[in-house]
CSV table of all heavy atoms in Angstrom, one decimal:
chain,number,residue,atom,x,y,z
A,204,SER,N,-4.0,-14.5,4.7
A,204,SER,CA,-5.4,-14.7,5.1
A,204,SER,C,-5.5,-15.3,6.5
A,204,SER,O,-6.4,-14.9,7.3
A,204,SER,CB,-6.2,-15.6,4.1
A,204,SER,OG,-5.5,-16.9,4.0
A,205,ALA,N,-4.6,-16.1,6.9
A,205,ALA,CA,-4.6,-16.7,8.3
A,205,ALA,C,-4.2,-15.7,9.4
A,205,ALA,O,-4.4,-16.0,10.6
A,205,ALA,CB,-3.7,-18.0,8.3
A,206,GLN,N,-3.6,-14.6,8.9
A,206,GLN,CA,-3.1,-13.6,9.9
A,206,GLN,C,-4.1,-12.5,10.2
A,206,GLN,O,-3.9,-11.8,11.2
A,206,GLN,CB,-1.8,-13.0,9.4
A,206,GLN,CG,-0.6,-13.9,9.2
A,206,GLN,CD,0.5,-13.2,8.7
A,206,GLN,OE1,0.5,-12.7,7.5
A,206,GLN,NE2,1.6,-13.2,9.5
A,207,ILE,N,-5.2,-12.4,9.4
A,207,ILE,CA,-6.1,-11.3,9.5
A,207,ILE,C,-6.7,-11.2,10.9
A,207,ILE,O,-6.7,-10.0,11.5
A,207,ILE,CB,-7.2,-11.4,8.5
A,207,ILE,CG1,-6.6,-11.2,7.1
A,207,ILE,CG2,-8.3,-10.4,8.7
A,207,ILE,CD1,-7.5,-11.5,5.9
A,208,GLN,N,-7.1,-12.3,11.5
A,208,GLN,CA,-7.8,-12.2,12.8
A,208,GLN,C,-6.8,-11.9,13.9
A,208,GLN,O,-7.2,-11.7,15.1
A,208,GLN,CB,-8.5,-13.5,13.0
A,208,GLN,CG,-9.7,-13.7,12.1
A,208,GLN,CD,-10.5,-14.9,12.4
A,208,GLN,OE1,-10.3,-15.6,13.4
A,208,GLN,NE2,-11.6,-15.1,11.7
A,209,GLN,N,-5.5,-11.9,13.6
A,209,GLN,CA,-4.5,-11.6,14.6
A,209,GLN,C,-4.3,-10.1,14.8
A,209,GLN,O,-3.6,-9.6,15.7
A,209,GLN,CB,-3.2,-12.2,14.3
A,209,GLN,CG,-3.2,-13.8,14.3
A,209,GLN,CD,-1.9,-14.4,13.8
A,209,GLN,OE1,-0.8,-14.0,14.3
A,209,GLN,NE2,-2.0,-15.4,12.9
A,210,VAL,N,-4.8,-9.3,13.9
A,210,VAL,CA,-4.7,-7.9,13.8
A,210,VAL,C,-5.5,-7.2,15.0
A,210,VAL,O,-6.7,-7.4,14.9
A,210,VAL,CB,-5.0,-7.3,12.5
A,210,VAL,CG1,-4.9,-5.7,12.5
A,210,VAL,CG2,-4.1,-7.8,11.4
A,211,LYS,N,-4.9,-6.6,15.9
A,211,LYS,CA,-5.7,-6.0,17.1
A,211,LYS,C,-5.9,-4.6,16.9
A,211,LYS,O,-6.7,-4.0,17.6
A,211,LYS,CB,-4.9,-6.3,18.4
A,211,LYS,CG,-4.5,-7.7,18.6
A,211,LYS,CD,-5.7,-8.7,18.6
A,211,LYS,CE,-5.4,-10.1,18.9
A,211,LYS,NZ,-6.5,-11.0,18.8
A,212,GLN,N,-5.1,-3.9,16.0
A,212,GLN,CA,-5.2,-2.4,15.9
A,212,GLN,C,-6.6,-2.1,15.2
A,212,GLN,O,-7.1,-2.8,14.4
A,212,GLN,CB,-4.1,-1.9,15.0
A,212,GLN,CG,-2.7,-1.8,15.7
A,212,GLN,CD,-2.1,-3.2,15.8
A,212,GLN,OE1,-2.6,-4.3,15.5
A,212,GLN,NE2,-0.8,-3.2,16.4
A,213,LYS,N,-7.0,-0.9,15.6
A,213,LYS,CA,-8.2,-0.3,15.0
A,213,LYS,C,-7.9,-0.1,13.5
A,213,LYS,O,-6.9,0.4,13.1
A,213,LYS,CB,-8.7,1.0,15.6
A,213,LYS,CG,-9.9,1.6,15.0
A,213,LYS,CD,-10.3,2.9,15.8
A,213,LYS,CE,-10.7,2.5,17.2
A,213,LYS,NZ,-11.3,3.7,17.9
A,214,THR,N,-8.8,-0.6,12.7
A,214,THR,CA,-8.6,-0.6,11.2
A,214,THR,C,-9.8,0.1,10.4
A,214,THR,O,-10.9,-0.1,10.7
A,214,THR,CB,-8.4,-2.0,10.7
A,214,THR,OG1,-7.4,-2.7,11.4
A,214,THR,CG2,-8.1,-2.0,9.2
A,215,LEU,N,-9.4,0.9,9.4
A,215,LEU,CA,-10.3,1.5,8.5
A,215,LEU,C,-10.1,0.8,7.2
A,215,LEU,O,-9.0,0.7,6.6
A,215,LEU,CB,-10.0,2.9,8.3
A,215,LEU,CG,-10.8,3.7,7.2
A,215,LEU,CD1,-12.4,3.7,7.5
A,215,LEU,CD2,-10.3,5.1,7.0
A,216,ILE,N,-11.3,0.2,6.7
A,216,ILE,CA,-11.2,-0.4,5.3
A,216,ILE,C,-11.9,0.6,4.3
A,216,ILE,O,-13.1,1.0,4.5
A,216,ILE,CB,-12.0,-1.7,5.3
A,216,ILE,CG1,-11.5,-2.7,6.4
A,216,ILE,CG2,-12.1,-2.4,3.9
A,216,ILE,CD1,-12.3,-3.9,6.6
A,217,ILE,N,-11.2,1.0,3.3
A,217,ILE,CA,-11.7,1.8,2.2
A,217,ILE,C,-11.8,1.0,1.0
A,217,ILE,O,-10.9,0.2,0.6
A,217,ILE,CB,-10.8,3.0,2.0
A,217,ILE,CG1,-10.6,3.9,3.2
A,217,ILE,CG2,-11.3,3.9,0.9
A,217,ILE,CD1,-9.7,5.0,3.2
A,218,TRP,N,-13.0,1.2,0.3
A,218,TRP,CA,-13.2,0.3,-0.9
A,218,TRP,C,-13.9,1.1,-2.0
A,218,TRP,O,-14.9,1.9,-1.7
A,218,TRP,CB,-14.1,-0.8,-0.6
A,218,TRP,CG,-13.7,-2.1,-1.3
A,218,TRP,CD1,-14.2,-2.4,-2.6
A,218,TRP,CD2,-12.8,-3.1,-0.9
A,218,TRP,NE1,-13.6,-3.7,-2.9
A,218,TRP,CE2,-12.7,-4.1,-1.9
A,218,TRP,CE3,-12.0,-3.3,0.3
A,218,TRP,CZ2,-12.0,-5.3,-1.8
A,218,TRP,CZ3,-11.3,-4.5,0.3
A,218,TRP,CH2,-11.3,-5.4,-0.7
A,219,GLY,N,-13.4,1.1,-3.3
A,219,GLY,CA,-14.0,1.7,-4.4
A,219,GLY,C,-15.3,0.8,-4.8
A,219,GLY,O,-15.1,-0.4,-5.0
A,220,GLU,N,-16.4,1.4,-4.8
A,220,GLU,CA,-17.6,0.7,-5.1
A,220,GLU,C,-17.6,0.0,-6.5
A,220,GLU,O,-18.3,-1.1,-6.6
A,220,GLU,CB,-18.9,1.6,-5.1
A,220,GLU,CG,-19.3,1.9,-3.7
A,220,GLU,CD,-20.7,2.7,-3.7
A,220,GLU,OE1,-21.2,2.9,-4.8
A,220,GLU,OE2,-21.2,2.9,-2.6
A,221,ASP,N,-16.8,0.5,-7.4
A,221,ASP,CA,-16.8,-0.1,-8.7
A,221,ASP,C,-15.5,-0.8,-9.0
A,221,ASP,O,-15.1,-1.0,-10.2
A,221,ASP,CB,-17.0,1.0,-9.8
A,221,ASP,CG,-18.3,1.8,-9.7
A,221,ASP,OD1,-19.3,1.1,-9.3
A,221,ASP,OD2,-18.4,3.0,-9.9
A,222,ASP,N,-14.9,-1.4,-8.0
A,222,ASP,CA,-13.7,-2.2,-8.1
A,222,ASP,C,-13.9,-3.4,-9.0
A,222,ASP,O,-14.7,-4.3,-8.7
A,222,ASP,CB,-13.1,-2.6,-6.8
A,222,ASP,CG,-11.7,-3.2,-6.8
A,222,ASP,OD1,-11.3,-3.6,-7.9
A,222,ASP,OD2,-11.1,-3.2,-5.8
A,223,GLN,N,-13.2,-3.5,-10.2
A,223,GLN,CA,-13.4,-4.6,-11.1
A,223,GLN,C,-12.3,-5.6,-10.9
A,223,GLN,O,-12.3,-6.6,-11.6
A,223,GLN,CB,-13.4,-4.1,-12.6
A,223,GLN,CG,-14.4,-3.1,-12.9
A,223,GLN,CD,-15.8,-3.7,-12.7
A,223,GLN,OE1,-16.2,-4.7,-13.2
A,223,GLN,NE2,-16.7,-3.0,-11.9
A,224,ILE,N,-11.4,-5.4,-10.0
A,224,ILE,CA,-10.2,-6.3,-9.7
A,224,ILE,C,-10.5,-7.2,-8.5
A,224,ILE,O,-10.2,-8.4,-8.5
A,224,ILE,CB,-9.0,-5.5,-9.6
A,224,ILE,CG1,-8.7,-4.9,-11.0
A,224,ILE,CG2,-7.8,-6.4,-9.2
A,224,ILE,CD1,-7.4,-4.0,-11.0
A,225,ILE,N,-10.9,-6.6,-7.4
A,225,ILE,CA,-11.3,-7.4,-6.2
A,225,ILE,C,-12.7,-7.1,-5.8
A,225,ILE,O,-13.1,-6.0,-5.7
A,225,ILE,CB,-10.3,-6.9,-5.1
A,225,ILE,CG1,-8.9,-7.2,-5.5
A,225,ILE,CG2,-10.6,-7.7,-3.8
A,225,ILE,CD1,-7.8,-6.7,-4.5
A,226,SER,N,-13.4,-8.2,-5.7
A,226,SER,CA,-14.9,-8.1,-5.3
A,226,SER,C,-15.2,-7.4,-4.1
A,226,SER,O,-14.5,-7.6,-3.1
A,226,SER,CB,-15.5,-9.6,-5.3
A,226,SER,OG,-16.8,-9.5,-4.8
A,227,ASN,N,-16.2,-6.6,-4.1
A,227,ASN,CA,-16.7,-6.0,-2.8
A,227,ASN,C,-17.1,-7.0,-1.8
A,227,ASN,O,-17.1,-6.6,-0.6
A,227,ASN,CB,-18.0,-5.1,-3.2
A,227,ASN,CG,-17.6,-3.9,-3.9
A,227,ASN,OD1,-16.5,-3.7,-4.5
A,227,ASN,ND2,-18.5,-2.9,-3.9
A,228,LYS,N,-17.4,-8.2,-2.2
A,228,LYS,CA,-17.8,-9.2,-1.2
A,228,LYS,C,-16.5,-9.5,-0.3
A,228,LYS,O,-16.7,-9.8,0.9
A,228,LYS,CB,-18.2,-10.5,-1.9
A,228,LYS,CG,-19.5,-10.4,-2.7
A,228,LYS,CD,-19.8,-11.8,-3.4
A,228,LYS,CE,-21.1,-11.6,-4.2
A,228,LYS,NZ,-21.5,-12.9,-4.9
A,229,LEU,N,-15.4,-9.3,-0.8
A,229,LEU,CA,-14.2,-9.6,0.0
A,229,LEU,C,-13.9,-8.5,1.0
A,229,LEU,O,-13.4,-8.7,2.0
A,229,LEU,CB,-12.9,-9.8,-0.9
A,229,LEU,CG,-12.9,-11.0,-1.8
A,229,LEU,CD1,-11.7,-11.2,-2.6
A,229,LEU,CD2,-13.1,-12.3,-0.9
A,230,ALA,N,-14.5,-7.3,0.6
A,230,ALA,CA,-14.5,-6.2,1.6
A,230,ALA,C,-15.3,-6.5,2.8
A,230,ALA,O,-14.9,-6.2,3.9
A,230,ALA,CB,-14.9,-4.9,0.9
A,231,VAL,N,-16.5,-7.1,2.5
A,231,VAL,CA,-17.4,-7.5,3.6
A,231,VAL,C,-16.7,-8.5,4.5
A,231,VAL,O,-16.8,-8.5,5.7
A,231,VAL,CB,-18.7,-7.9,3.1
A,231,VAL,CG1,-19.7,-8.4,4.2
A,231,VAL,CG2,-19.4,-6.7,2.3
A,232,ARG,N,-16.2,-9.5,3.8
A,232,ARG,CA,-15.5,-10.6,4.5
A,232,ARG,C,-14.4,-10.1,5.4
A,232,ARG,O,-14.3,-10.5,6.6
A,232,ARG,CB,-14.9,-11.6,3.4
A,232,ARG,CG,-14.1,-12.8,4.1
A,232,ARG,CD,-13.6,-13.7,3.1
A,232,ARG,NE,-12.7,-14.6,3.7
A,232,ARG,CZ,-12.0,-15.5,3.0
A,232,ARG,NH1,-12.1,-15.6,1.6
A,232,ARG,NH2,-11.2,-16.4,3.5
A,233,LEU,N,-13.6,-9.2,4.8
A,233,LEU,CA,-12.4,-8.6,5.6
A,233,LEU,C,-13.0,-7.9,6.8
A,233,LEU,O,-12.4,-8.0,7.9
A,233,LEU,CB,-11.6,-7.7,4.7
A,233,LEU,CG,-10.4,-7.0,5.3
A,233,LEU,CD1,-9.4,-8.1,5.8
A,233,LEU,CD2,-9.7,-6.1,4.3
A,234,HIS,N,-14.1,-7.1,6.6
A,234,HIS,CA,-14.7,-6.3,7.8
A,234,HIS,C,-15.2,-7.3,8.8
A,234,HIS,O,-15.0,-7.0,10.0
A,234,HIS,CB,-15.8,-5.5,7.2
A,234,HIS,CG,-16.5,-4.7,8.2
A,234,HIS,ND1,-17.9,-4.6,8.4
A,234,HIS,CD2,-16.0,-3.9,9.2
A,234,HIS,CE1,-18.2,-3.8,9.3
A,234,HIS,NE2,-17.1,-3.3,9.9
A,235,CYS,N,-15.7,-8.4,8.4
A,235,CYS,CA,-16.2,-9.4,9.5
A,235,CYS,C,-15.0,-10.1,10.2
A,235,CYS,O,-15.1,-10.4,11.3
A,235,CYS,CB,-17.0,-10.5,8.7
A,235,CYS,SG,-18.6,-9.9,8.1
A,236,GLU,N,-13.8,-10.3,9.5
A,236,GLU,CA,-12.7,-11.1,10.1
A,236,GLU,C,-11.8,-10.2,10.9
A,236,GLU,O,-11.2,-10.7,11.8
A,236,GLU,CB,-12.0,-11.8,9.0
A,236,GLU,CG,-12.7,-12.9,8.3
A,236,GLU,CD,-11.9,-13.7,7.2
A,236,GLU,OE1,-10.8,-13.3,7.1
A,236,GLU,OE2,-12.5,-14.6,6.6
A,237,LEU,N,-11.8,-8.9,10.6
A,237,LEU,CA,-10.9,-8.0,11.4
A,237,LEU,C,-11.6,-7.7,12.7
A,237,LEU,O,-12.8,-7.4,12.7
A,237,LEU,CB,-10.6,-6.8,10.7
A,237,LEU,CG,-9.5,-6.8,9.6
A,237,LEU,CD1,-9.6,-5.6,8.7
A,237,LEU,CD2,-8.1,-7.0,10.2
A,238,PRO,N,-11.0,-7.9,13.9
A,238,PRO,CA,-11.6,-7.7,15.2
A,238,PRO,C,-12.1,-6.3,15.5
A,238,PRO,O,-13.1,-6.2,16.2
A,238,PRO,CB,-10.5,-8.1,16.2
A,238,PRO,CG,-9.6,-9.0,15.4
A,238,PRO,CD,-9.6,-8.4,14.0
A,239,ASN,N,-11.5,-5.3,14.9
A,239,ASN,CA,-11.8,-3.9,15.3
A,239,ASN,C,-11.7,-3.1,14.0
A,239,ASN,O,-10.8,-2.2,13.9
A,239,ASN,CB,-10.8,-3.4,16.3
A,239,ASN,CG,-11.2,-2.1,16.9
A,239,ASN,OD1,-12.3,-1.6,16.7
A,239,ASN,ND2,-10.3,-1.5,17.7
A,240,ALA,N,-12.8,-3.2,13.1
A,240,ALA,CA,-12.7,-2.5,11.8
A,240,ALA,C,-14.0,-1.8,11.5
A,240,ALA,O,-15.1,-2.2,11.9
A,240,ALA,CB,-12.3,-3.5,10.7
A,241,THR,N,-13.8,-0.7,10.8
A,241,THR,CA,-15.0,0.0,10.1
A,241,THR,C,-14.7,0.0,8.6
A,241,THR,O,-13.5,-0.1,8.2
A,241,THR,CB,-15.1,1.4,10.6
A,241,THR,OG1,-13.9,2.1,10.4
A,241,THR,CG2,-15.5,1.5,12.1
A,242,ILE,N,-15.8,0.1,7.8
A,242,ILE,CA,-15.7,0.0,6.4
A,242,ILE,C,-16.4,1.3,5.8
A,242,ILE,O,-17.4,1.6,6.3
A,242,ILE,CB,-16.2,-1.3,5.8
A,242,ILE,CG1,-15.9,-1.3,4.3
A,242,ILE,CG2,-17.6,-1.4,6.1
A,242,ILE,CD1,-16.2,-2.7,3.7
Side-chain angles (χ1 to χ4, degrees):
S204 58
Q206 296 177 298
I207 291 171
Q208 294 185 359
Q209 299 175 44
V210 175
K211 306 304 181 186
Q212 284 78 357
K213 183 177 289 188
T214 304
L215 171 65
I216 302 168
I217 300 175
W218 216 273
E220 282 188 357
D221 299 327
D222 191 338
Q223 301 299 308
I224 294 179
I225 302 179
S226 169
N227 287 18
K228 293 179 181 178
L229 293 181
V231 176
R232 176 181 171 183
L233 181 61
H234 183 225
C235 292
E236 292 184 0
L237 282 167
N239 188 8
T241 56
I242 185 170

